[in-house]
Amino acid sequence: MVFTIREDDLSGPEVRQLLERHLDDLALHSPAESMHAMSADRLSGPDVTFWSVWSGDRVVGCGALKEIDATHGEVKSMRTIDDVRGQGVGGLVLEHLLGEARRRGYARVSLETGSDEPFFAAHRLYERHGFVRCGPFADYAEDPWSVFMTLQL
């Protein structure tokens, strides 16, 4: 399968549906007060760049990079659809986001993800790319439902 990454303005219905499914799925595994995923409107903000991943005419994944400050970025909204999991989409997106972070001159990239079993595959993906666990960053607070990770670039 060939995958193409596109910077995306989130205006297409396919991407909006993917993000809605992403938020719905996260709500199944985290209490509302511990959900830190961004809405499509927030992902369209000036401090966030969003990319979608396509296989032909079908969206199969996404990810975003939020600027915390001039030296620190945050990975947001990493998602791969179920039927292409394990085919490298997550790694492709993460490598793209890290390449963009380096291009921007960030010294560090961090992320927040869930702490329980449905998020273990994500933990392993981030660890394979050099991320290590850390404490809360930016505006986050300690939360038993969250795992915080960072990567020095």
Side-chain angles (χ1 to χ4, degrees):
M1 207 176 274
V2 176
F3 302 114
T4 305
I5 298 177
R6 303 178 194 164
E7 189 170 330
D8 201 303
D9 64 5
L10 294 107
S11 63
E14 304 91 347
V15 172
R16 291 279 181 156
Q17 289 170 359
L18 175 62
L19 287 172
E20 286 173 20
R21 285 193 309 270
H22 178 58
L23 293 172
D24 290 345
D25 188 49
L26 292 175
L28 296 173
H29 304 291
S30 300
E33 65 274 9
S34 295
M35 276 187 48
H36 303 289
M38 295 176 146
S39 68
D41 289 339
R42 180 63 186 93
L43 287 166
S44 297
D47 59 338
V48 181
T49 308
F50 180 87
W51 289 272
S52 55
V53 182
W54 296 79
S55 176
D57 61 355
R58 183 170 76 132
V59 66
V60 296
C62 62
L65 187 61
K66 176 185 177 204
E67 184 168 292
I68 295 171
D69 63 41
T71 64
H72 191 186
E74 180 180 2
V75 171
K76 297 297 293 183
S77 299
M78 289 273 301
R79 182 67 177 201
T80 302
I81 65 170
D82 291 340
D83 64 327
V84 298
R85 287 212 174 132
Q87 296 183 36
V89 173
L92 181 71
V93 172
L94 188 56
E95 289 170 11
H96 183 83
L97 298 178
L98 294 175
E100 178 63 17
R102 287 182 179 98
R103 188 191 69 72
R104 293 179 183 184
Y106 293 164
R108 178 168 78 133
V109 176
S110 301
L111 61 90
E112 180 277 337
T113 189
S115 63
D116 58 345
E117 192 277 327
F119 300 96
F120 290 173
H123 298 174
R124 289 188 299 272
L125 171 69
Y126 299 132
E127 288 166 351
R128 279 194 309 271
H129 284 84
F131 283 82
V132 295
R133 291 183 187 226
C134 64
F137 59 92
D139 295 331
Y140 292 104
E142 277 297 338
D143 185 334
W145 293 92
S146 292
V147 168
F148 303 100
M149 302 180 88
T150 196
L151 173 67
Q152 298 293 324
L153 299 177

